[in-house]
Amino acid sequence: MEWSHVRAPQWPGTISNEAAKRQVAERVASRAADGEVIGIGSGSTSFLALLALADRVQGVGLAVTCVPTSHEIAGYCTALGLPTVSLLAGRPDWCFDGADEVDPERNLIKGRGGAFVREKLVFAAARQRFILVDDSKFVTRLGERFAVPLEVIPEAVNLVRDTLADVLGSVPTIRPAGGKDGGVITEQGGIIMDLHVTEAVLDAHTPTDLAVLLDHTVGITGSGLFAGFDLEVLSDS
Ligand code: 5RP
């Protein structure tokens, strides 16, 4: 009997700027070498890169092991015949991931898809990091288009809201779920809150300072602000 989730992977929904995303997906997949452990981000660009990776693995005859960053990506790896391990069993030689915003210093906002905590774990563990973006992701200042997502312990949502309102003057809001009442619940059982980083917040804090502040706020288990990482951006420009 076949497992019902093991089927030809399909992205649920439309992929924006698909041609550009396919181009960077092919480029990053061409880096894969035999025996490597590769961290796989979540989101549509990472999905396309995973398809390109699976194609290369099969075409060239490579053996690679994947460290997925979400249930969905783990399922896609399995469906594509790519073995997976958790961070407990393998450290990525390199990883790829997408982003929602990239600033001129290569700080990132990630987490539209809600997988940013596991994405940051794999990102931090990888020895080399590639961010895959189409040109629409470049911003002059973080927060132009996206809020910074926070994963919050459910009991702490009021505490985190009030703390950040006091410290930053910006009030994070619970991201409403689609298909269930209430907020989005992460794979770790946290609630996602979105924090708008206003001009005033960024005038008072560098992205690195802000990331540290968020990491040190009691009740927050992780944020989608990726600041100060050594990484390479691959884009279609
Ligand atoms: C998911 C993410 C994604 O990498 C980010 O949202 C970009 O998504 P896409 O590749 O679909 O444009 O952080 O948590």
Side-chain angles (χ1 to χ4, degrees):
M1 195 169 83
E2 284 189 6
W3 290 96
S4 59
H5 69 278
V6 180
R7 56 179 184 267
Q10 284 202 321
W11 185 251
T14 311
I15 297 181
S16 62
N17 299 328
E18 184 168 344
K21 287 178 175 177
R22 279 191 186 277
Q23 192 186 316
V24 286
E26 298 287 344
R27 271 171 62 203
V28 84
S30 71
R31 307 184 62 89
D34 200 37
E36 286 182 327
V37 177
I38 304 173
I40 315 290
S42 297
S44 63
T45 317
S46 295
F47 170 74
L48 293 173
L50 178 63
L51 295 184
L53 176 66
D55 197 49
R56 175 166 158 78
V57 162
Q58 210 172 27
V60 181
L62 303 176
V64 302
T65 304
C66 297
V67 184
T69 53
S70 61
H71 289 327
E72 288 73 33
I73 288 295
Y76 295 146
C77 290
T78 303
L80 291 163
L82 298 171
T84 59
V85 291
S86 82
L87 280 181
L88 291 174
R91 180 169 182 187
D93 295 296
W94 58 280
C95 72
F96 60 78
D97 208 336
D100 300 311
E101 291 189 356
V102 181
D103 81 1
E105 277 75 47
R106 289 177 295 169
N107 299 304
L108 317 171
I109 290 180
K110 289 183 46 54
R112 175 202 50 75
F116 51 96
V117 167
R118 277 180 73 189
E119 288 176 332
K120 200 181 268 186
L121 292 181
V122 173
F123 210 66
R127 294 187 171 89
Q128 209 181 355
R129 310 172 184 97
F130 296 95
I131 283 294
L132 315 178
V133 289
D134 61 82
D135 285 351
S136 71
K137 306 296 181 75
F138 292 112
V139 294
T140 50
R141 217 166 187 205
L142 292 179
E144 280 177 18
R145 291 185 214 129
F146 281 82
V148 172
L150 313 170
E151 185 174 293
V152 176
I153 293 169
E155 195 178 346
V157 289
N158 293 341
L159 173 66
V160 167
R161 184 198 57 216
D162 291 353
T163 304
L164 295 184
D166 283 350
V167 174
L168 297 176
S170 184
V171 181
T173 53
I174 292 176
R175 185 185 293 184
K180 88 172 250 307
D181 294 337
V184 171
I185 295 176
T186 69
E187 290 179 5
Q188 289 74 239
I191 296 273
I192 293 188
M193 300 184 87
D194 285 312
L195 174 76
H196 289 279
V197 283
T198 57
E199 290 281 318
V201 169
L202 285 174
D203 284 344
H205 305 271
T206 65
T208 302
D209 289 346
L210 183 58
V212 170
L213 186 154
L214 296 174
D215 282 347
H216 287 179
T217 299
V218 174
I220 295 178
T221 49
S223 88
L225 180 56
F226 287 44
F229 278 104
D230 186 11
L231 58 89
E232 195 173 320
V233 176
L234 301 184
S235 77
D236 59 314
S237 56

